[in-house]
Amino acid sequence: MSDTGPDLVVAGAGGGLAAALRAAQHGLDVLVVEVSEHFRRGNNTSMSTAMIPGAGSRFQREAGIEDSPELFVEDVMRKTKGQADQRLARTLADVSAPLVEWLADDVALPLGLVTDFHYPGHSADRCHTIEGRHGTVLLDHLVAAVKAEERIDLLVPARLVDVLLDDAGRVRAAVIETPDGATEEVETPAVLLATNGYGADRELVGRHLPEIADAVYHGSEASRGDALRIGTGLGADTAYLDAYQGHGALAARSSTLVGWATVMHGAVIVGQDGRRFGDETTGYSEYASVIAQQPGATAWIVLDQRIHDACLPFTDFRQTIEGGALVWADDVAGLAAATGLPADALADELAAVAALARGEAEDRLGRTFFEGELAPPLAAVRVVPALFHTQGGLVVDEHARVTRTDGSVIPGLYASGGAAAGISGHGAAGYLAGNGLLPALGLAYLAADHVAAGRGGSAPGHAATTSEEGTA
């Protein structure tokens, strides 16, 4: 680290580590500040399923899958019913494939394309992940790469509490607080706010997300709205503060993620009355609020051995099994007895589902895809709705620069992930798989490129052009 301070301070050791690695690759010195000692198992990156969209990646080409940033943007706008920030959606779609390939080639992340099931809303298989499909593996790999890079210093635990501007309105220093309450001004021309959103602040959740405010929060306890507080204090604009990723498949017994792959492989969700109450394939995010409106704010996912085995590649699902959350029975009557669900209603509903899977009827609830009939033995797991993370925040431009309410940028201030306003539109229904990690990693990557361009850094490969201003 130079005597004059780092070229970039990154607040948050999740997706923000991509910025640290990319900036170091450009020849810049970086300081990463992380508030939690347990971040490797407790931040939203580590708690994710490690799904990173890459539209038009070489992995897709090798698999014979046709995709493009334009198609990705169309999917985003369709899922959000036209509410998403199309400019930012295009920026992230453009950088998605270069990001994935950079992670694979330069960071040596062992990525592969997910093709064994299809995520709701994506018209092409474009989610890339690692073995185990869990964020802990992704984050451990990023941390190892950071620790091996001499240009990056990692300060844990410490919290970014403020960003100072000079008389011209440019970033001049980061104010960092240690657990003993001491603060230090670290001179730097650039700060990336990668501290996630405000999901752990119950007051903010109640204000902006009342429909999910009573649900279980299943995200980082460090997501307390620090970026919002710091950014708005500097005059930053905000958007989509009512947007969030919910999840309708958190196991009540084990507090682990059952996963929506169960549904996409043919599982159904029934309420306490033994009846289905919606089209489960619309998406796991919006289904959280649907379950929250059911009696007792709970439901049961019903699956069989085929679905169970198909979901074993997911670490979260294996942890759900290990936690004893699945109840098994030889037939419908046994499953009803084991779960306490009404036997006649459950039998009637599952018989109707079997007819739908055989193509003998149309679903009264609008579901059009059932991978196969459910066959005994059957399993059920009780689930509760959860809030995973917020999707609104500081408005950023094509280079991840934070903008003021008048549209001008705050020079040197960047935001990524949940700290920035995302591309999920309003509410929960616009969320697509990867809408958390892509802004976390993609905006961090773009921020590092922009900082490097301003500091005269070197120019490694995998750059993505996102606007008429040039290389991001």
Side-chain angles (χ1 to χ4, degrees):
M1 203 68 63
S2 69
D3 294 337
T4 58
D7 299 298
L8 171 65
V9 171
V10 176
L17 295 182
L21 291 167
R22 182 68 172 174
Q25 188 178 24
H26 281 295
L28 305 186
D29 292 330
V30 185
L31 173 64
V32 179
V33 180
E34 169 56 48
V35 69
S36 173
E37 292 180 285
H38 309 292
F39 73 97
R40 293 178 70 161
R41 293 297 178 270
N43 74 20
N44 278 69
T45 298
S46 71
M47 298 169 78
S48 74
T49 52
M51 296 290 167
I52 311 169
S57 75
R58 72 162 186 271
F59 300 96
Q60 289 178 304
R61 293 193 295 274
E62 291 166 358
I65 295 172
E66 293 186 8
D67 195 13
S68 66
E70 292 79 11
L71 185 58
F72 190 6
V73 173
E74 288 177 11
D75 288 346
V76 169
M77 300 313 293
R78 183 185 309 109
K79 191 70 165 63
T80 62
K81 294 181 170 56
Q83 295 177 339
D85 181 339
Q86 188 167 4
R87 171 193 53 83
L88 187 59
R90 182 56 196 253
T91 294
L92 289 170
D94 281 344
V95 79
S96 63
L99 170 70
V100 164
E101 294 176 7
W102 173 76
L103 288 168
D105 298 341
D106 295 51
V107 187
L109 193 65
L111 288 171
L113 185 66
V114 178
T115 58
D116 55 337
F117 78 101
H118 312 295
Y119 273 109
H122 286 288
S123 59
D125 290 331
R126 63 170 66 100
C127 286
H128 303 69
T129 191
I130 37 71
E131 185 177 357
R133 302 181 181 185
H134 201 267
T136 53
V137 180
L138 168 63
L139 188 57
D140 283 349
H141 194 98
L142 293 177
V143 171
V146 162
K147 288 186 174 181
E149 174 53 67
E150 63 181 12
R151 290 186 176 277
I152 304 173
D153 287 338
L154 182 59
L155 182 58
V156 183
R159 182 184 182 191
L160 179 77
V161 293
D162 206 356
V163 174
L164 305 180
L165 308 182
D166 62 19
D167 292 340
R170 300 170 301 199
V171 168
R172 70 168 181 84
V175 181
I176 297 169
E177 183 180 77
T178 50
D180 61 4
T183 59
E184 177 185 2
E185 290 186 16
V186 176
E187 291 186 18
T188 182
V191 173
L192 172 65
L193 300 172
T195 54
N196 204 260
Y198 61 85
D201 188 309
R202 303 312 294 175
E203 190 277 326
L204 287 174
V205 169
R207 185 194 314 171
H208 298 296
L209 311 174
E211 69 178 19
I212 203 71
D214 294 330
V216 174
Y217 173 57
H218 194 70
S220 169
E221 291 303 320
S223 300
R224 297 173 292 190
D226 285 354
L228 272 180
R229 176 182 53 79
I230 293 171
T232 56
L234 298 174
D237 196 9
T238 62
Y240 300 104
L241 293 179
D242 61 341
Y244 67 97
Q245 186 215 330
H247 214 297
L250 187 71
R253 176 170 178 170
S254 56
S255 293
T256 54
L257 184 62
V258 182
W260 220 243
T262 54
V263 168
M264 302 312 293
H265 279 305
V268 296
I269 301 179
V270 300
Q272 297 288 68
D273 61 355
R275 301 286 186 179
R276 291 175 56 235
F277 47 84
D279 175 5
E280 302 93 333
T281 62
T282 54
Y284 51 84
S285 181
E286 56 264 53
Y287 225 70
S289 62
V290 174
I291 293 176
Q293 296 167 25
Q294 297 303 304
T298 190
W300 292 84
I301 297 178
V302 181
L303 61 150
D304 61 8
Q305 190 70 49
R306 175 186 64 81
I307 298 170
H308 169 280
D309 294 349
C311 294
L312 289 176
F314 287 87
T315 298
D316 284 316
F317 186 70
R318 296 198 302 272
Q319 291 175 342
T320 299
I321 297 170
E322 294 164 1
L326 270 66
V327 176
W328 286 92
D330 291 333
D331 52 30
V332 177
L335 192 66
T339 58
L341 296 171
D344 291 345
L346 183 62
D348 183 61
E349 192 67 41
L350 293 185
V353 167
L356 293 171
R358 293 192 299 267
E360 298 173 357
E362 290 188 5
D363 184 22
R364 71 186 190 281
L365 299 169
R367 180 168 172 172
T368 59
F369 177 75
F370 297 83
E371 191 170 271
E373 291 186 52
L374 296 174
L378 299 172
V381 53
R382 189 168 74 85
V383 293
V384 292
L387 167 64
F388 271 34
H389 53 83
T390 55
Q391 283 278 296
L394 305 176
V395 176
V396 298
D397 71 358
E398 297 89 340
H399 304 291
R401 295 180 296 184
V402 175
T403 64
R404 299 185 177 91
T405 54
D406 63 3
S408 63
V409 300
I410 301 175
L413 187 63
Y414 302 80
S416 62
I423 56 172
S424 296
H426 297 284
Y431 187 86
L432 284 169
N435 275 16
L437 275 183
L438 179 57
L441 298 167
L443 288 174
Y445 177 97
L446 291 171
D449 277 2
H450 193 266
V451 173
R455 302 289 285 176
S458 60
H462 297 295
T465 300
T466 60
S467 77
E468 68 279 2
E469 293 181 45
T471 301

